[in-house]
């Protein structure tokens, strides 16, 4: 087998056999295939795509490249949830406690902010003392004790993915659906889960701008899961405007607290309940999805999701009182309001712009090495469809330094569209792929 | 300027500015841009193509990466000829002496055999003593003295092309029209020429299998030449069956000698005269192409082309008598005949198969490091359109070792198609691009 022949066949649109994919990925991980051949292969994949069989073989390789977590000693069905990333997307912090309160074991592996999208780990770490770098032993023990644990990706898991991702990042081959699918699924499947609920975002604030791409990504991930004998369902959800009102880190934790007390934004609450219901259903807690929906709703209304999150915060070194007393969270020192230039209806709030503004204030990262400022962010005063007057506040920027304030304000100002007529209502949950 | 952004823009089909191409090619040549980014860029070019402006910028960069030859001290118009490579294509050895005999200065830079195609340098080196590794000083002096010199590419010329070619070879990015065009043109334009005649081959024995690709390549090379203020014309010619009867090295020199004595194959003679005429016309020896055609014909009939080649052989260390006494050339020790299984008309002779068979016997190279056997090769007894009986000899394999004889015989046998009706006549010169 010659690497150059495999690159050529992929370039020419042929399907490679599973053992040929293994040859490439294993060879690259072991350093036998050089970067320059792998990057040419990745670019060929960008253009030619991959079949479900190819992408499943690639995912398996990446799982085998590192250690996997064995959760068989923990009783119960283990169900994780993953979002492809959005703006104001704090659902993980809501659905994981709801599902865990309903009896699902939730080994939740999360990521960090990058570009204009936020990351669950950064949000959690805005809680003083909260530790995400647990050992596998601590992870397993906490799952057994309280049914929920938040952890960052460990370098021992799917190292081939880490190596490939770094290469993709430098060679403009990140935006390839099969490469995204195998990257996500390898990290998830290595963590000993039985089932997975995916939230595939589509729209201006998401990685996938077109629904057809989001659908293909969802189908590919569901297919990878099926080939690995895991139950996987995906929701395709709208990410044209931010989810909820808060975008940042500590500000999102505050909104999570409100939502778990049934006082959160409608869109965030609705999506969180549906995701939690899917986890409960895949976790075999209820025989039907409708019963799972009722159970998720009950766990929200009776406050047991809220208490579960407090329990987790305490278990991972944080002060659970932050959910009641927001002054215990990092707070910004300045506030800057953006007002509407005229009256009308909010017809669009570009999620990517809001995410970029929040990142400019310090809530995000341009490179993986950047530090995140937990206090800063953007809080919307309005959502798409709301009526505004000239001079009404559209959103507030919370900052700790004025360094990029002007730039952030300009970016976020451009995010709002005010029209004379109310916009057509848009679905939040667009499709289910299972 | 970030390399990854340039890769992404090319990937997404955008045109890069000349200074962005310079940044990439210069950066790569200097080692500032790593192999893995350049190979991803090359694969993106494979899929997205390049505009004439981009490819001209790339060519210029590659020329500037090394030294260029200054031929301004040599009086006369300098015209080279280049073929994209074929099977049995020995026209260089015929057209260069004809054009030089007509008064054109011909600084001919040639290449070596690779894969199933032959190389002019290997054919010349089958003449005992013939030297192609001349210094630039020797090259210039010989041009001044006799108006023709054959030389190999020197490593000082367009080293960026050499570095890029090695990377393309390992990453399945050789077959890209803009990359082929800039590679050829950078090496040619660096040699101090005023004009260039291109023979772009199309068909089974050529790199370009489709006429539309050959046309695009020809147009791109002509455009590069125009932007560099050089007169360039391209012929697109058929390479479905071998050119002439002889395929190999010494056997092709013998056919060259016959052709320069006006006793060569019709197709080879015709194409050589047309190419020589174009060189004479671009070399401003005659005011019209028709007069150039007459002059080329005259130089063939009066033997002055033949004498010019002898003069060059002598000047470059060979024995000019090889053109009269073929026993002075390396001769194979064995002959194996391929006969027709039935009577009919030869409807096709797959040039690539004949080239592969010749290479299997030792006349070609699989890798650049392979040694060429000057004596071996294939000589056809028939051409497409000829009538054959069952048992008629179709071709003869000349070998010095039986190692791959059986394999070569099987390959060459498969090259012939015998039909009951004569095939339609095929044009040899398909198009002119200028």
């Amino acid at each position: 087998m010659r690497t150059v022949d495999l690159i050529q066949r992929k370039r020419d649109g042929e399907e490679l056999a599973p053992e040929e994919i293994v040859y490439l990925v294993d060879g690259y991980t072991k350093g036998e295939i050089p970067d320059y051949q792998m990057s040419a292969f990745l670019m060929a994949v960008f253009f030619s795509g991959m079949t479900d069989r190819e992408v499943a073989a690639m995912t398996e390789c990446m799982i085998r490249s590192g250690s996997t977590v064995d959760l068989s000693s923990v009783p119960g069905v283990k169900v994780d949830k993953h979002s492809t990333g959005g703006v104001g997307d704090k659902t993980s912090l809501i659905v994981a406690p709801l599902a865990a309160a309903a009896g699902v074991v939730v080994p939740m592996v999360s990521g960090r902010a990058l570009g204009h999208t936020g990351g669950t780990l950064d949000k959690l770490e805005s809680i003083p003392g909260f530790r995400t770098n647990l050992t596998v032993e601590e992870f397993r023990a906490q799952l057994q004790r309280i049914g929920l644990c938040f952890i960052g990706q460990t370098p021992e898991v799917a190292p081939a993915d880490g190596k490939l991702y770094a290469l993709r990042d430098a060679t403009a081959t990140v935006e390839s659906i099969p490469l995204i699918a195998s990257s996500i699924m390898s990290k998830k499947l290595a963590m000993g889960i039985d089932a997975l609920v995916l939230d595939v975002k589509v729209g201006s604030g998401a990685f996938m701008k077109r629904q057809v791409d989001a659908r293909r990504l969802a189908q590919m991930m569901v297919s990878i899961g099926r080939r690995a004998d895991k139950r996987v369902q995906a929701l395709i959800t709208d990410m044209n405007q931010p989810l909820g009102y808060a975008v940042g880190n500590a500000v999102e934790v505050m909104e999570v607290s409100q939502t778990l007390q049934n006082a959160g934004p409608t869109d965030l609450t609705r999506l969180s309940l549906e995701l939690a219901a899917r986890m409960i259903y895949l976790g075999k807690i209820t025989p039907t999805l409708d019963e799972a929906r009722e159970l998720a709703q009950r766990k929200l209304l009776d406050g047991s999701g809220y208490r579960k999150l407090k329990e987790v915060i305490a278990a991972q070194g944080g002060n659970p009182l932050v959910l009641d007393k927001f002054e215990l969270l990092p707070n910004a020192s300045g506030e800057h309001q953006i007002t509407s230039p005229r009256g009308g209806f909010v017809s669009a709030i570009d999620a990517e712009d809001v995410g970029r503004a929040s990142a400019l204030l310090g809530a995000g990262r341009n490179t993986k090495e950047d530090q995140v400022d937990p206090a800063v962010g953007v809080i919307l005063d309005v959502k798409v469809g709301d009526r505004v007057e000239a001079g009404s506040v559209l959103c507030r920027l919370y900052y700790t330094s004025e360094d990029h304030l002007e730039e952030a304000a300009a970016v976020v100002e451009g995010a709002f569209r005010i029209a004379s007529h109310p916009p057509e209502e848009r679905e939040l949950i667009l499709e289910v792929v299972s």
Side-chain angles (χ1 to χ4, degrees), chain A:
Chain A
M1 219 175 296
R2 291 201 320 154
T3 305
V4 63
D5 296 334
L6 300 183
I7 301 172
Q8 176 159 350
R9 284 176 45 215
K10 175 46 63 191
R11 184 197 81 184
D12 294 344
E14 286 182 41
E15 183 184 35
L16 301 186
E19 57 272 23
E20 293 172 326
I21 298 284
V22 170
Y23 168 86
L24 284 169
V25 180
D26 281 4
Y28 180 62
T29 310
K30 289 181 198 151
E32 292 161 5
I33 290 175
D35 281 337
Y36 60 83
Q37 286 189 311
M38 187 47 80
S39 64
F41 176 75
L42 294 171
M43 188 60 87
V45 167
F46 177 88
F47 282 98
S48 297
M50 272 187 161
T51 64
D52 283 2
R53 190 177 73 151
E54 288 177 312
V55 89
M58 181 152 185
T59 308
E60 257 180 60
C61 266
M62 300 208 289
I63 295 171
R64 275 195 295 94
S65 74
S67 54
T68 54
V69 175
D70 183 0
L71 294 180
S72 59
S73 62
V74 182
V77 185
K78 291 96 199 173
V79 187
D80 194 359
K81 173 248 156 192
H82 179 83
S83 160
T84 58
V87 177
D89 181 9
K90 69 280 289 175
T91 55
S92 287
L93 301 185
I94 302 165
V95 303
L98 287 175
V104 182
V105 177
V106 184
M108 184 155 274
V109 183
S110 301
R112 298 197 173 274
L114 196 63
H116 69 275
T117 62
T120 299
L121 292 185
D122 295 313
K123 293 169 196 175
L124 284 168
E125 286 173 359
S126 73
I127 299 169
F130 198 100
R131 283 178 58 217
T132 58
N133 60 340
L134 306 180
T135 66
V136 169
E137 278 321 305
E138 291 173 312
F139 178 63
R140 203 182 277 126
Q142 182 174 325
L143 281 175
Q144 184 133 18
R145 211 169 67 249
I146 59 178
L148 169 58
C149 187
F150 290 102
I151 194 173
Q153 161 122 39
T154 61
E156 301 81 40
V157 166
D161 173 65
K163 192 172 175 188
L164 274 173
Y165 191 87
L167 185 63
R168 286 165 59 201
D169 197 39
T171 56
T173 49
V174 169
E175 297 91 342
S176 158
I177 290 173
L179 299 180
I180 295 169
S182 59
S183 174
I184 292 174
M185 294 303 288
S186 64
K187 288 180 287 194
K188 290 292 166 184
L189 296 179
M191 293 307 285
I193 58 170
D194 299 305
L196 177 64
V197 175
L198 293 162
D199 183 6
V200 178
K201 301 290 188 189
V202 62
S204 89
F207 214 64
M208 297 287 137
K209 307 293 180 197
R210 303 183 312 155
Q211 197 163 334
V212 57
D213 293 332
R215 187 182 305 130
R216 180 77 188 113
L217 175 60
Q219 287 167 340
M220 214 163 225
M221 292 194 290
V222 167
S223 157
I224 294 170
R226 188 176 299 127
R227 281 165 189 266
D229 234 6
K230 309 293 174 188
R231 291 185 302 288
V232 181
Q233 291 193 352
L235 301 185
I236 298 179
T237 68
D238 182 69
M239 185 34 73
N240 280 296
Q241 66 172 328
L243 194 59
Y245 291 88
V247 177
N249 293 291
V251 294
E252 292 200 33
V253 171
M254 298 174 200
E255 194 169 64
V256 163
S257 173
Q258 291 160 343
T259 306
L260 280 171
Q261 296 176 78
N262 198 28
T266 316
D267 60 345
L268 178 61
T269 304
R270 214 187 125 222
L271 178 55
S272 298
L273 282 173
E274 182 65 20
L275 290 167
R278 301 260 166 193
M279 291 175 76
I280 291 167
Y281 173 65
L282 291 186
K284 298 186 176 171
I285 304 293
T286 62
T288 68
L289 180 57
D290 277 339
E291 287 167 276
R293 286 186 178 123
E294 281 165 32
L295 185 54
Q297 178 92 36
R298 215 153 58 231
K299 294 299 168 188
L300 176 73
L301 296 181
D302 71 6
S304 52
Y306 180 60
R307 286 191 297 277
K308 181 59 76 178
L309 182 57
K310 284 190 161 180
E311 199 180 348
V312 170
I313 292 173
Q316 296 193 229
N319 179 358
L321 281 180
V322 296
L323 294 192
D324 305 308
K325 301 186 176 170
F326 293 165
E327 63 272 23
L328 296 176
L329 286 166
N331 273 276
S333 51
E335 178 190 326
H336 176 86
Q337 300 182 352
I338 306 287
T339 55
S340 182
R342 63 180 168 281
F345 293 89
V346 180
S347 63
I349 307 174
D350 188 283
E352 180 166 4
D353 285 343
V354 177
R356 275 175 56 217
S358 171
L360 278 167
L361 295 173
R365 283 186 185 77
N366 277 319
T367 71
K368 283 179 199 159
E369 290 69 37
D370 290 351
Q371 286 295 312
V372 159
D373 182 340
V376 301
V378 178
I379 299 187
L380 306 180
D381 278 72
V382 296
K383 295 278 283 184
V384 169
D386 287 356
R387 179 170 204 130
V388 292
E389 308 299 326
S392 300
V393 176
L394 297 175
C395 72
R396 294 154 210 267
L397 275 57
Y398 291 93
Y399 59 91
T400 54
S401 140
E402 293 191 15
D403 278 359
H404 295 282
L405 178 60
E406 211 168 314
E407 195 184 348
V411 167
V412 89
E413 233 178 84
F416 289 87
R417 291 278 169 281
I418 311 294
S420 51
H421 294 285
E424 270 188 52
E425 241 180 273
R426 201 175 207 137
E427 288 293 326
L428 176 61
I429 299 173
L430 302 163
E431 279 181 60
V432 177
V433 177
S434 62

